[in-house]
Amino acid sequence: QVQLVESGGGLVQAGGSLRLSCAASGNVLPIGAAGWFRQAPGKQRELVASIARDGTTDYVDSVKGRFTISRDKNTLYLQMNNLKPEDTAVYYCNADLYSASNLRRINSWGQGTQVTVSS
């Protein structure tokens, strides 16, 4: 079964760091285009960071200079530094996965991981 499994969330004080991971399982090729989204209570889900197939990255203005998205074969990462209380949210990874057997594209979501930043 093809799926994305997230890990790395938790509680941290303002100014601290966390690293989120998102591992693809199943018979799939290395992760292509992917992104990290977050959803705070009462707010819409927003795209925080993205990485294209060619490795180009992009970030929402509020996290530029603090967050870094990267990938390594079948794992997507989000390094978050200098965290602020307003970064508190459930973080979700999303990626285009390609079946190694038939090259079918499967867009997948992780289960979500809570990040809480205390002031």
Side-chain angles (χ1 to χ4, degrees), residues 27-44:
N27 189 25
V28 294
L29 299 177
I31 291 176
W36 287 95
F37 293 73
R38 67 186 178 187
Q39 188 166 18
K43 294 187 177 181
Q44 289 188 331

Side-chain angles (χ1 to χ4, degrees), residues 5-10 17-23 36-38 67-70 75-80 83 89-93 112-115:
V5 179
E6 299 182 36
S7 61
S17 297
L18 284 174
R19 189 192 196 200
L20 305 184
S21 298
C22 172
W36 287 95
F37 293 73
R38 67 186 178 187
F67 289 13
T68 303
I69 187 172
S70 62
T75 303
L76 182 70
Y77 302 98
L78 185 67
Q79 177 67 42
M80 305 185 293
L83 282 160
V90 178
Y91 283 72
Y92 299 89
C93 60
T113 186
Q114 177 70 46
V115 171

Side-chain angles (χ1 to χ4, degrees), residues 38 62-63 66-67 82-89 91 115 117:
R38 67 186 178 187
S62 60
V63 308
R66 300 189 297 120
F67 289 13
N82 190 21
L83 282 160
K84 303 177 180 181
E86 51 264 43
D87 295 320
T88 296
Y91 283 72
V115 171
V117 184

